[in-house]
Each structure stands twice: as C-alpha cells, then as structure tokens.
Amino acid sequence: MHPDQLTGMIDRINSFNATPGRGITRLTFTPQYEAARRYLVEEMEALGLTVYVDDIGNLFGSLKGSDPNLPAVMAGSHIDTVNHGGRYDGVVGTVAAVESARRMIREGIKPRNPFIVAVFAEEEGSRFGQVMAGSRALTGLLDRQTLYTLTDSDGTPYSEALDSANLKNINRCPSPANIKCMLEAHIEQSVVLEQRSKVLGIVQSIAGIQQATVTIEGTANHAGATPMAMRSDALAAAAEMITAIEDVGSRRAGPSTVATVGNIDCEPNVSNVISGLCRFSLDVRDSDAEILTDAVSGIRSLCSDISERRGVEVTFTEKPRTEPVTLSRSIGQIFEESARKRNLPYMWMPSGAVHDAAVMAQVTEVGMLFVPSRKGRSHVPEEFTAEEDILAGVEVFSDAVISLCGGS
Ligand code: GLV
Ligand code: MN
Ligand code: MN
C-alpha cells in the first residue's frame, strides 16, 4: 500500500470535523459524519464493492467471493468520535478494512469467501449515549425499538437522525450467522507497545464495560443563609462519591479494574445556590466478569452510604453491560505469522478499551490488531500514531484478511 494513499484517506476522513483546531468531533449522523460516510461510499464504489446500509445506519461494502455460499469475512471499525477526540480512533480500522479490499483487487487476489467492509454506527456513544450501539443492534444485543428511541442531548431520537441522514440502499443487514469471522485494526490507546518498542499488538481479550448515570437529589437553597449543618448539597455528595469511585478503581477492586466519572451536570449550577440536583456518568471496566460485577456493586453501596449520611437521594440508571471477551487464538496466530514474516516486533496483549470487535465476538470468531499510540494518549486531540506503524499494521491486517478469505 502506498503511504500517500493511506495518509490521504485518513486526512480526508478527518477533514469532516465539527471542531477544527480543537480536536476531531464527528458524531453519528451529523453533517460531518454523513460527509465522511459519503466519501467512504465513493471510495468503496470506485473499487467495485457493493455498498449498502442496514436499518441501523451501519455501512457495508462487499466484495464477491468466488464461492458466494461461503460465510463472509468481515473487517471494519467506526468513524464516529468522542467530542474533541483524535484522528485515529476508529479511522485506522476503517482504512485498514478498505485497504484490504483495495489490495485484493490491485493484486488480482480472488477471495473464496465474500469480504465485507463494515463501518459501525455510534461506537463511541457520544451522540446517543450508548457505546457500540450499531454493532450491538446488528448482533441483536440491543433491540431496534430501544435503539430508535435513544435520544441525543437535544432530544432528537436515533430514528429521526437516521431518517434525516438520507441513507440509500437500506436493503440488507448481514446476518450474524453468515459471518465467518470479524477483524478489527485499532490504535492501542495505551503505552504498552511504545514502552516495549513493539509495532503490533495481537489482542487476546477485551475488557467488559458497565456504564451508568448516577443522579443525586438534594435540596437547592441559599448559599449564604443556609447553615452548613442544614444542607442537602447534591454537588458536595457527588464530589465524595466521585472520590470513592476512584478509590474502588485504584485500590478496592481487581488489579485491572478502572472506574471513571468523566461527565457531570448540576442544577441550578449557580455560584450562590446550593446544588439541588447533580448527575454524573459512571464507567467501570474489567477483563474479569465477576470482578466487574463486584466493582459496580461496591460502588453502588458506597454511594448509597454517602447519600444516607448526607441526606440526599441517589439513583443509578445502568446502561446495558458488555461482557469481557476472549478473542480467537487462531486468528491471532495468523497475525503472528505475518508479523514474523515481515520482521515486525509484536506482542500479545489485552485491550482495556472496548470495541465493536467485543460485540461481534458474541456471535463469531474475532481477531484484533493494535498499532502504537504515542504516549498512550487517546480520545484527545493529541492522539497520534506514526504513519509507518499504521502502514505495517495495514499490511499484516490485510495478510490476515486474504488468508481468511482463502484468497488466491
Ligand atoms: C471506546 O472507545 C471506549 O473504550 O470507550
Ligand atoms: Mn475505537
Ligand atoms: Mn474510542
């Protein structure tokens, strides 16, 4: 693959951005997202792929296999971002999948199994509040009706945003039963590959995730006239809970548990009024299902103790959980063989971030390949992966696609 082509694709996708100069913001079904998607449709159609979308908004480009009755090899990722995110999360995996198709076509390799490029909708959950919504709906883990009624911060339902995206060719949805395996390339989003001077990470497992919204109801009152002993301060209660949550992540749960509060809102949010209502996000992850369950219940009970002591009410609204998964060893070995042949330093590793691959692993065999992230920064404008590392990743990734498609 030509380096200019690779950077050209990444630059082009990132030219569609709602926050130029302040990171990349490309939320699902927004004009920037639609423009990036149109570009990908044009690229895939120019390659001769058959392009279609499903009734979820996932985009597919499929290349015929010489035996159309065989199940498809699927590869892909996402092009939605977090608010003010980076240039590579999701984009690298999308480009790696399109480039795998381009390579087969350019080199005259005829796949036996059909090959499908997949661009999953709403992976980050940044617009409609649920991570990996597109792949979860595809696999049936999230039902269509629930998906369609999710709303964004303006109250726009998913169904309406999907309709206004004016999608063409809503004619099929690949059946999970018809997918032989799924591959995703991604940036590592941590420091391990960089610290160990490896170019590739072969992912063994993906952590499970439980997210929730925590709502605290206190009593709004005058900041000057209300004595300290007479307060039910929702924001102060939230502050104590947030520190307790951090403590669960860092000390009380398992060695790989992480717990984050990344978003907070309070009412009335006025400097001389005691806060009467506070809402914050909760994100807890672990590679062990039992430890994840214990960490979440530990957090719930600590928050309930704090709320009782402070005379406020706390409510947890949990989002659907995604279980930790182990990925395919045999696909990992295909990546390994290619990395060895190409003399690229690699290692096997777990993923702390979640991916559409984790969802697809509930229904098919999945392989995932990481490339390094500079200083482990991700979900921020500073996110960076060197071009030569992406190139190496795409080469090994496409070797595996060709091998799994039985290309000749
Ligand atoms: C997805 O990017 C996640 O791990 O939150
Ligand atoms: Mn991602
Ligand atoms: Mn992400």
Side-chain angles (χ1 to χ4, degrees), residues 244-255:
I245 289 166
E246 187 189 35
D247 196 45
V248 169
S250 32
R251 275 191 328 114
R252 295 181 190 230

Side-chain angles (χ1 to χ4, degrees), residues 319-369:
K319 300 187 182 187
R321 157 170 157 152
T322 303
E323 294 301 327
V325 288
T326 303
L327 301 190
S328 161
R329 182 144 185 90
S330 61
I331 298 180
Q333 283 165 340
I334 297 175
F335 288 138
E336 182 169 47
E337 195 185 313
S338 160
R340 279 212 186 110
K341 272 199 193 131
R342 291 178 178 273
N343 253 328
L344 293 163
Y346 69 90
M347 62 183 286
W348 292 77
M349 65 189 303
S351 170
V354 292
H355 305 283
D356 293 308
V359 175
M360 296 305 293
Q362 312 283 338
V363 295
T364 190
E365 249 199 300
V366 167
M368 199 165 182
L369 189 68

Side-chain angles (χ1 to χ4, degrees), residues 24-352:
I24 309 283
T25 305
R26 193 170 43 247
L27 304 191
T28 309
F29 306 144
T30 58
Q32 296 75 30
Y33 185 89
E34 286 314 317
R37 194 160 61 166
R38 257 195 315 280
Y39 160 67
L40 283 169
V41 168
E42 281 162 21
E43 277 287 308
M44 292 197 286
E45 284 183 341
L47 285 175
L49 305 192
T50 305
V51 177
Y52 55 100
V53 290
D54 61 14
D55 56 349
I56 299 156
N58 298 313
L59 170 70
F60 304 100
S62 84
L63 182 63
K64 272 204 181 69
S66 58
D67 186 346
N69 297 321
L70 290 178
V73 172
M74 178 181 270
S77 194
H78 61 99
I79 54 166
D80 64 314
T81 66
V82 297
N83 277 303
H84 306 283
R87 293 167 44 83
Y88 302 92
D89 179 354
V91 171
V92 163
T94 302
V95 168
V98 175
E99 285 311 311
S100 299
R102 195 194 307 279
R103 178 174 162 198
M104 286 196 270
I105 293 159
R106 193 184 46 228
E107 296 181 10
I109 296 168
K110 299 261 173 281
R112 251 162 58 78
N113 297 65
F115 174 61
I116 304 178
V117 175
V119 183
F120 295 103
E122 189 67 358
E123 192 273 347
E124 299 286 6
S126 309
R127 179 163 181 195
F128 295 100
Q130 286 206 13
V131 290
M132 302 172 293
S135 51
R136 284 192 302 114
L138 175 74
T139 54
L141 293 178
L142 172 64
D143 69 83
R144 299 285 202 281
Q145 262 346 89
T146 310
L147 173 76
Y148 291 155
T149 51
L150 296 175
T151 50
D152 68 7
S153 57
D154 295 331
T156 307
Y158 192 98
S159 55
E160 205 175 290
L162 181 63
D163 284 348
S164 64
N166 199 14
L167 306 178
K168 305 259 180 344
N169 292 332
I170 306 186
N171 53 7
R172 341 177 212 172
C173 179
S175 152
N178 236 349
I179 301 172
K180 172 184 169 180
C181 60
M182 187 266 182
L183 305 183
E184 183 170 1
H186 209 278
I187 54 168
E188 182 206 346
Q189 310 180 277
S190 187
V191 292
V192 180
L193 292 176
E194 188 178 70
Q195 284 181 351
R196 308 231 184 130
S197 302
K198 306 288 187 200
V199 173
L200 300 170
I202 301 169
V203 182
Q204 291 163 297
S205 61
I206 302 178
I209 177 171
Q210 174 72 68
Q211 294 186 320
T213 301
V214 183
T215 307
I216 302 157
E217 284 176 80
T219 310
N221 212 339
H222 196 289
T226 316
M228 296 309 286
M230 288 182 62
R231 297 177 177 214
S232 298
D233 185 332
L235 186 53
E240 194 178 338
M241 289 178 197
I242 292 168
T243 327
I245 289 166
E246 187 189 35
D247 196 45
V248 169
S250 32
R251 275 191 328 114
R252 295 181 190 230
S256 71
T257 311
V258 288
T260 309
V261 175
N263 172 270
I264 185 164
D265 262 329
C266 83
E267 289 178 22
N269 204 15
V270 169
S271 58
N272 55 0
V273 181
I274 297 160
S275 165
L277 184 78
C278 190
R279 220 176 266 116
F280 63 82
S281 61
L282 174 66
D283 178 306
V284 189
R285 308 184 188 208
D286 202 280
S287 51
D288 182 301
E290 220 170 292
I291 295 176
L292 178 59
T293 304
D294 290 350
V296 174
S297 61
I299 286 171
R300 289 184 75 129
S301 95
L302 283 169
C303 290
S304 130
D305 293 349
I306 294 167
S307 72
E308 253 172 55
R309 179 160 39 76
R310 287 178 164 271
V312 296
E313 289 289 325
V314 65
T315 324
F316 279 75
T317 312
E318 289 188 1
K319 300 187 182 187
R321 157 170 157 152
T322 303
E323 294 301 327
V325 288
T326 303
L327 301 190
S328 161
R329 182 144 185 90
S330 61
I331 298 180
Q333 283 165 340
I334 297 175
F335 288 138
E336 182 169 47
E337 195 185 313
S338 160
R340 279 212 186 110
K341 272 199 193 131
R342 291 178 178 273
N343 253 328
L344 293 163
Y346 69 90
M347 62 183 286
W348 292 77
M349 65 189 303
S351 170

